[in-house]
Amino acid sequence: MGQNRETFAGKFSAVFALAGSAIGLGNIWRFPYIVGENGGAAFIILYIIFSALFALPIFFAESLIGRSTQSSTFGAFNKLAPESRWKILCYFSVITPMIIVCYYSVVGGWSVGYLYYSVIQSFGEMTKAEVSSLFTHFTGSVWTPVICHTVFILLTALVVRGGVRKGIEKMSNLAMPALFSTMVLLMAFSLLAPGAGKGVSYLIKPDFSKISGPAIAAAMGQSFFSLSLGVGTILTYSSYMKKQENIIESGFLTAVFDLMFALIASFVIMPAAFSAGIEPSAGPGLVFESLPYVFSQVGATSPMLSKIVTIAFFFAILVAALTSEVSMFEVCTAYLVEERRLSRKKATVLVFVIGWLGGILCVIFPRLFDIMDFTSSNILMTLGALGFCLFVGWKMKKTVVESELTNNGSIRFNQRIFKTLYFVLRYVAPIGIALIFISNFISW
């Protein structure tokens, strides 16, 4: 089966797919808020440091496992650690993305609904209270969120059904440039708005007095979750990379794209929010309750421009959500194809049905939505990442790890850098993950 297994066409196709997995709604609503609340530029510096110390080494660990075995999670551990307890990681890497597919599809459905609303009506004709109540009414009903959730997960299934080359790669190659271009245009619109300077100051003015224990924990957590670590997406996508691809370079580029998008999103949202006189707040409410009104007010002198900007914004939201959902969906599909020997068509349909039914339950029972979100983000993802990190750092032979990172010595790699990276994988990153795990429970 390995000889017939699809691969990405080249480096940038793989990077676009990996970046699409990492870039999601969290970059758009969460990152701008925590940057401003935790010292602006000072927080960004911390975020970059922790990305280098914790996130990237774990990213390399997952990539190394996937590309070296050319298999999804179960196949990878069957090759590397057959009949061992390490195979428990396989279950984390199927259960966790399946849970995320269910509830994340509901949020993706919100983007479908709001893209539709932005086309058929003008938010500029509504008051701030009316825009906010629209979100409450939207999520409080049943049929509308279910219909939107169905559309979103169906789009996801259609992409995954196309396979690696015709589905995931084709979507990523189109979606990522379109997403970045749209966000850059939106950023220009926001920065030119009257009063936008306050929003810029909110983001870039370093305030080191706000660098406290919670701020450090927030920077660690954001660097960790931003790259979708611990759920098997990086492992699975890396398994579609060709053997000669440089996983260090791919990981670095993915992290750079992820950071760039988060910063661009910040300069879209915060200047517009301050221009409209709205204080930013964390959570989906910032995106769905406040921003439609914000963009309508920023472009109040030109209703048509305001409408175009609002449509473009929710298009970007939809694309960001879709690329992340596709990666989770693919992990589950790859397991069914490679381990259960289902055809890709049947596997896609099965994951679609489970995700669709799970999403409906999340709509009907909001408490289930919260439980799935907390369990996957704060427990399963961290435990999965810890497992990948420990496996590469302690189970795999050091010579094998070095050989994979250097493509059997064909890539020049400073020994000091490798020794530092290996030390981080064995000692530093596991401690960092443990601290994130503890911090999540304290916050909860």
Side-chain angles (χ1 to χ4, degrees), residues 114 117 121 123 126 129-139:
Y114 268 73
Y117 286 151
Q121 66 185 42
F123 288 106
M126 302 169 67
E130 287 173 336
V131 173
S132 180
S133 65
L134 176 64
F135 181 71
T136 303
H137 177 74
F138 177 83
T139 56

Side-chain angles (χ1 to χ4, degrees), residues 27-96:
N27 298 75
I28 296 175
W29 65 260
R30 188 171 187 269
F31 187 82
Y33 173 75
I34 61 174
V35 167
E37 286 295 293
N38 294 284
F43 177 88
I44 294 175
I45 293 170
L46 275 180
Y47 171 79
I48 293 173
I49 291 172
F50 287 131
S51 292
L53 278 178
F54 299 121
L56 271 176
I58 302 168
F59 185 101
F60 295 146
E62 278 200 56
S63 296
L64 188 153
I65 295 170
R67 199 201 59 177
S68 66
T69 59
Q70 299 285 283
S71 301
S72 58
T73 50
F74 270 82
F77 284 93
N78 279 332
K79 293 178 181 179
L80 297 175
E83 306 302 325
S84 75
R85 293 181 180 179
W86 288 102
K87 288 186 67 176
I88 193 173
L89 285 171
C90 303
Y91 298 99
F92 276 102
S93 299
V94 174
I95 295 172
T96 306

